Amino acid sequence: MGCGSCSTGGCAPAGCKSNGSCLTNGCSKLDVYDWLSDMDMPSNYKPFNIVEIKFKGSRKDFYLNNDNIYLESGELVAVETTTGGYDIGHVSVTGELVRMQMLKRRVKEEEVVKKIYRKATPTDVEKWKAAKDLEWETMHRSRKLALELGLSMKISDVDYQGDKSKATFYYTAEGRVDFRELIKRMAESFRIRIEMRQIGMRQEASRLGGIGSCGRELCCSTWLTDFKTVSTSAARYQNLSLNTLKLAGQCGKLKCCLNYELDTYMDALKGIPDNVHVLKTEKGDARLQKTDIFKKLMWFSYPMDDNWIPLEISKVKEIQQQNKDGILPPDLGETKEPETKPAKVLDYENVVGQDSLTRLDERNRNKKKNKNRNKNQGNKPQQAGNAPRPQQVKAAISSEASTPNSGAPAEKREANPNAQRNRNNRRNRPNRNKNRNDQQKGNESGS
């Protein structure tokens, strides 16, 4: 594998902890799992001499391994290019699985002419990394040049060749763009060969990648290779709201996933009758409100009536045929909607109790209740027979209120006579003040 500890010195992408063969698509696009790699081949087996090589983005190509170099998935190799020089890429698939990839992409063995030179040496890797570091700056400088020339184009990505002799600029535009002057200026600025390649919106999203509205990586940047046309009829067949903000992907076009379940819906729609908007009965005209193609039910309602009547497909066809023959049935023959049984809850779904967000709060609350209960029980006497009755408690409280120091020992009362005298003086002090105020009022009235 192309790992950080190999003899070539760090072939794996930065931050890769799976030796360059992780399945999270963080290292490359459109990964392929070689399920034949662990199988033992026959003794007279001759290895397939064509290897699939992947480059930046979603670009892949097939190359001849004429020198029978032992290659494994993830290794960096130097390969031949059409314009001269060499390029650096990762080995994607080797062996018999390459035949299946060629059949899928409809590539014949005679059409593969480019070959693999060697495994990438440390010098090749350093030069390749230096070329990749220039791509970000080159893209922004080329965008400025395009704005200065007033060209209606968007340069979305730049791909340097492994030997830094050529750069491919990927751009999107609504129509044809005359970029001859732009190529001259870029050749003068960057001193390399320039190739301009126009791509579509979906190809741009495939190269750049991203996260879709479903929360997963874009299909076009992980496994989807062929882009089929998507129309709004796919959303109509699936009863989806025609909201462009929800139906459009990051590329600005309709989402490719609208076609994933379209065949299932088309098969289910084969048994649904067409042009059944109104069913005529003696009770009135019933209009179609809703259709469930999987349950094979259609809901109708009479005018000025909020109740929807579910009918099976066979009943709808029967009434439709009667209307064609000029027969009006008395009513729709109301049928009950089949009841759906609730899903059985299995015992292992909530073994740990992780579905409750407040399970810890309830546990702490129960602990506090138990602590308060233990405290209250500790304050009560242990023997129930010695507990005083409520009447005895009231009598004791009243006696203590009338004689506050009656229960105290006699020695303490005799030892502190001054304290008892001061206590009585405080009690009688408000009356003294009242008598004094009454005397002052009497003197004022006599004078």
Side-chain angles (χ1 to χ4, degrees), residues 61-84:
D61 207 346
F62 299 100
Y63 293 86
L64 294 172
N65 187 10
N66 294 329
D67 297 334
N68 294 327
I69 305 173
Y70 179 73
L71 300 174
E72 292 185 357
S73 178
E75 286 186 324
L76 283 174
V77 292
V79 297
E80 182 183 2
T81 61
T82 56
T83 58

Side-chain angles (χ1 to χ4, degrees), residues 430-445:
N431 296 329
R432 290 179 183 178
N433 295 335
K434 185 177 181 182
N435 296 332
R436 194 176 300 167
N437 294 335
D438 294 337
Q439 292 176 4
Q440 290 178 0
K441 288 182 181 179
N443 296 332
E444 291 177 357
S445 60

Side-chain angles (χ1 to χ4, degrees), residues 78-311:
V79 297
E80 182 183 2
T81 61
T82 56
T83 58
Y86 66 89
D87 199 359
I88 303 295
H90 288 85
V91 177
S92 177
V93 182
T94 59
E96 291 299 319
L97 203 61
V98 182
R99 295 182 189 269
M100 302 177 64
Q101 291 290 96
M102 295 177 67
L103 289 175
K104 181 181 177 181
R105 298 175 62 178
R106 298 178 181 178
V107 178
K108 298 180 181 180
E109 297 183 15
E110 297 80 11
E111 298 176 358
V112 181
V113 293
K114 292 180 289 186
K115 61 181 180 179
I116 298 174
Y117 287 143
R118 60 185 179 278
K119 289 186 178 181
T121 61
T123 305
D124 297 334
V125 174
E126 291 178 2
K127 197 171 185 179
W128 173 65
K129 288 183 177 180
K132 294 302 176 183
D133 293 338
L134 297 174
E135 291 178 351
W136 183 259
E137 182 183 357
T138 304
M139 182 180 66
H140 284 276
R141 289 175 61 184
S142 61
R143 286 180 178 178
K144 291 181 180 179
L145 294 175
L147 289 175
E148 291 176 0
L149 296 175
L151 300 177
S152 58
M153 59 185 297
K154 175 189 174 184
I155 300 176
S156 59
D157 195 12
V158 179
D159 188 7
Y160 264 86
Q161 197 168 285
D163 56 357
K164 294 175 63 175
S165 62
K166 176 187 171 184
T168 304
F169 292 80
Y170 297 91
Y171 71 95
T172 56
E174 295 181 358
R176 296 179 61 87
V177 180
D178 186 6
F179 45 76
R180 289 176 291 183
E181 184 65 24
L182 177 63
I183 291 178
K184 292 180 182 179
R185 294 195 179 187
M186 287 194 297
E188 294 175 358
S189 302
F190 307 132
R191 299 293 180 181
I192 54 175
R193 287 180 296 171
I194 305 296
E195 180 181 352
M196 304 295 294
R197 185 171 296 179
Q198 185 176 2
I199 58 177
M201 297 294 181
R202 290 179 176 173
Q203 285 79 7
E204 179 185 13
S206 174
R207 290 189 61 85
L208 300 180
I211 305 297
S213 58
C214 58
R216 304 186 64 178
E217 292 187 54
L218 298 180
C219 300
C220 56
S221 64
T222 52
W223 61 272
L224 188 63
T225 55
D226 53 339
F227 302 104
K228 297 181 180 180
T229 57
V230 184
S231 60
T232 55
S233 60
R236 292 194 186 96
Y237 287 130
Q238 301 176 49
N239 293 327
L240 299 176
S241 61
L242 299 179
N243 188 354
T244 55
L245 296 177
K246 293 183 178 180
L247 297 180
Q250 290 191 359
C251 57
K253 304 294 183 180
L254 292 176
K255 294 179 180 178
C256 298
C257 55
L258 292 175
N259 285 337
Y260 295 168
E261 298 179 355
L262 181 60
D263 295 338
T264 305
Y265 278 85
M266 296 299 292
D267 293 339
L269 284 170
K270 289 180 180 179
I272 305 298
D274 298 332
N275 301 325
V276 192
H277 302 295
V278 178
L279 293 180
K280 295 181 180 181
T281 62
E282 295 178 358
K283 191 176 180 180
D285 294 345
R287 294 187 175 276
L288 178 64
Q289 300 293 342
K290 177 185 174 183
T291 303
D292 193 332
I293 61 176
F294 296 110
K295 292 182 179 180
K296 304 295 183 181
L297 290 176
M298 301 178 74
W299 280 263
F300 292 85
S301 66
Y302 291 108
M304 306 301 293
D305 189 359
D306 296 335
N307 296 326
W308 290 7
I309 302 171
L311 296 178

Side-chain angles (χ1 to χ4, degrees), residues 28-33 51-63 90-93 101 105 114 207 222 225:
S28 60
K29 313 281 185 180
L30 304 176
D31 287 327
V32 178
Y33 178 71
V51 182
E52 186 184 55
I53 308 296
K54 57 187 176 182
F55 302 92
K56 179 183 177 181
S58 57
R59 183 168 67 97
K60 289 185 177 182
D61 207 346
F62 299 100
Y63 293 86
H90 288 85
V91 177
S92 177
V93 182
Q101 291 290 96
R105 298 175 62 178
K114 292 180 289 186
R207 290 189 61 85
T222 52
T225 55

